[in-house]
Amino acid sequence: MRRALLAATLFACPLFAAAPSASAASAALATTAERSGFRQTGRYDEVIALCDGFQSAYPQAVRCFSFGTTPEGRPMKAMAVSTSGALDAKAAQARGLPVLLAQGGIHAGEIDGKDAGFWLVRDLLQGKVGKGLLDKAVLLFVPVFNADGHENFRAWNRPNQRGPEQMGFRVTAQRYNLNRDYVKADSAEMQAMLGLVNQWDPLAMLDLHVTDGAKFQHDISITGEPTNSGDIALREAGNGLKDGIIARLSAQGSKPVGFYPSFVEDDNPASGFVHGVSTPRFSNGYFPLRNRIGILVETHSWRTYPERVKATYNAVLDALELVAANGPRWLQLAHDADARAAGLGGQPIPLDYKATDQVRSIDFLGYAYTRTPSEISGATMTRYDERKPQVWKIPLRDEIVPGNSIVAPMGGYLVPRQYAVAVAKHLLAHGIGFRVLSAPLRDSKAQAFIADSAQFSPASVEGHQRVSLAGKWTPQAAEVAAGSLYVPIAQANARLLVNILEPTATDSMAAWGDFNNAFERKEYMEGYVAEEQARLMLAKDPALKAEFEKKLKDDADFASNPAARLDFFYRRHPAWDAGSNRYPVLRTDTVLE
């Protein structure tokens, strides 16, 4: 009854009018952080209560909904916030409204985004800031992405961070680091997030973090793409959002930087910084491959919690202002980038980016420090004196160019039937289109990738044994069975597709070890058999004999390695396993209608 009366009141008067219940609603929608003077942060039940509470107080402007369930059974909550009436994805798209996704708590100990976001949403709805913004845009707010990690709650979960008194933990209940999971999508949480992204198609996303690292005066860094990567024309929007947030933060009293402030040499400020482009395991490396903007917001861990929350509040508000003001232009740039991506067949696509050797000196706001041997660790350690602000003149390398590139296939990729289910599941998670072949296909324009080397990681990474592959694509007619997949390159997510299925891409399925069986030797020729066969082969084939003798002469490592010498003959013998080191996915220059 009380909810109905409140809703009736809201329908009867302007949304931002000072209704009698405004102060009561404000108090009810305050966070534990606010009530404690930002000494504490609330538990996940507060997220659920506030999400529902905002919808009850502002039913025309807020929709609270669950978009997934965590492995420990918690609902994953999101809030669609807009005064345009567009509170679902179809309505937002029909009205051409830009959607800004603000994602908090991907690392649940870095929880500034949750408390800043709730505070900002309340101020927006009460008309205290950003009047009119929510008429022109939709704020899609995920207070805590890593809800299970959030409830792994205690002091010292973030030993390099000042406040709050207790906080959640970095990884999920299954110990996944969600900000290493965007493209590989192992976790239930990430699969739910990708479903949300596929549905809402946000123009821009803000990933709200707290950095570790040295002690310095700067309180926040803003980085993101496409600014140096991705669709060239879309960089206008990427740079506009990134640079616009930085300029507004500076005017609001922050000291932002536009690169990730991690030293080249750990714990050594004099080594300076290198800017770069994140790979798609990270949010800000993933979204530009979808022709959308990904911004990484990192408050500085050594600033106090109230300072960090306020800086995050400002960053989200600034982004919303920029998206609302530039929405039509930036949406058009994004849609044009989609169309261009569908035409990337036969074109070079970078798989990674790198900083050049071009160095410039910058003024960086730090503190006086010394570097002396430690009687504890025995290493040279840096000790900062926060009583003595100091300007450091240190090197920065921030000229970014493409690193490794491939030429995209004209047609796309062929996934044999035996791998179709695993690959299809991955493609579906990312909204990538494909076709299941209803009949066998003989393709004269196919290409196969044979690895010259496969270097397996000696340690597990996120539960995977990663592999680094070297090799090349070579023309090879192929026959694939009905039930195999054809994945066309002609689609908006072409860059993302390439980064998933090209075996040498840093975060491809192959690199994450999903096809490691293909790069393991499965059959062997005993040494005494190889010895016998080698003699027969040398006697029958003078050209082989000449090749062997030349290799003995030119390659000292080969000459001194008995196993390599026998393997030379095994690889040329009919007994050699032709499937060894063969990547199972094919490329094709055939365009299937």
Side-chain angles (χ1 to χ4, degrees), residues 281 455-468 511-513 516:
R281 73 185 68 176
Q455 298 294 322
F456 292 96
S457 171
S460 172
V461 181
E462 286 287 294
H464 292 252
Q465 185 183 23
R466 286 178 53 82
V467 62
S468 177
W512 278 107
N516 277 0

Side-chain angles (χ1 to χ4, degrees), residues 10-86:
L10 288 164
F11 275 106
C13 63
L15 184 63
F16 295 133
S21 59
S23 60
S26 181
L29 298 175
T31 61
T32 296
E34 294 170 272
R35 288 194 296 269
S36 68
F38 294 94
R39 291 182 296 102
Q40 300 169 351
T41 190
R43 302 294 294 267
Y44 195 67
D45 58 359
E46 178 180 75
V47 170
I48 297 172
L50 284 171
C51 189
D52 290 337
F54 272 101
Q55 179 174 287
S56 295
Y58 300 96
Q60 291 179 297
V62 178
R63 183 168 71 91
C64 170
F65 61 98
S66 298
F67 64 96
T69 303
T70 71
E72 290 188 335
R74 294 182 176 88
M76 299 176 68
K77 289 293 187 179
M79 294 167 58
V81 186
S82 181
T83 51
S84 68

Side-chain angles (χ1 to χ4, degrees), residues 290-324:
R290 298 182 66 128
N291 308 311
R292 301 298 182 263
I293 308 168
I295 298 293
L296 178 64
V297 177
E298 293 266 4
T299 55
H300 185 42
S301 58
W302 291 110
R303 302 302 286 260
T304 66
Y305 194 52
E307 289 177 303
R308 300 200 318 266
V309 171
K310 183 57 177 176
T312 304
Y313 173 110
N314 286 338
V316 179
L317 175 60
D318 298 339
L320 186 62
E321 289 175 344
L322 289 159
V323 166

Side-chain angles (χ1 to χ4, degrees), residues 133 220 222 240-256 311 314-326 330:
L133 293 183
I220 192 168
I222 305 295
L241 183 55
K242 175 192 168 184
D243 294 344
I245 295 171
I246 290 172
R248 282 166 167 75
L249 284 171
S250 296
Q252 289 158 341
S254 278
K255 298 174 181 177
N314 286 338
V316 179
L317 175 60
D318 298 339
L320 186 62
E321 289 175 344
L322 289 159
V323 166
N326 298 281
W330 289 356

Side-chain angles (χ1 to χ4, degrees), residues 251-268:
Q252 289 158 341
S254 278
K255 298 174 181 177
V257 292
F259 53 87
Y260 189 84
S262 179
F263 298 135
V264 173
E265 297 174 17
D266 186 45
D267 196 45
N268 183 6

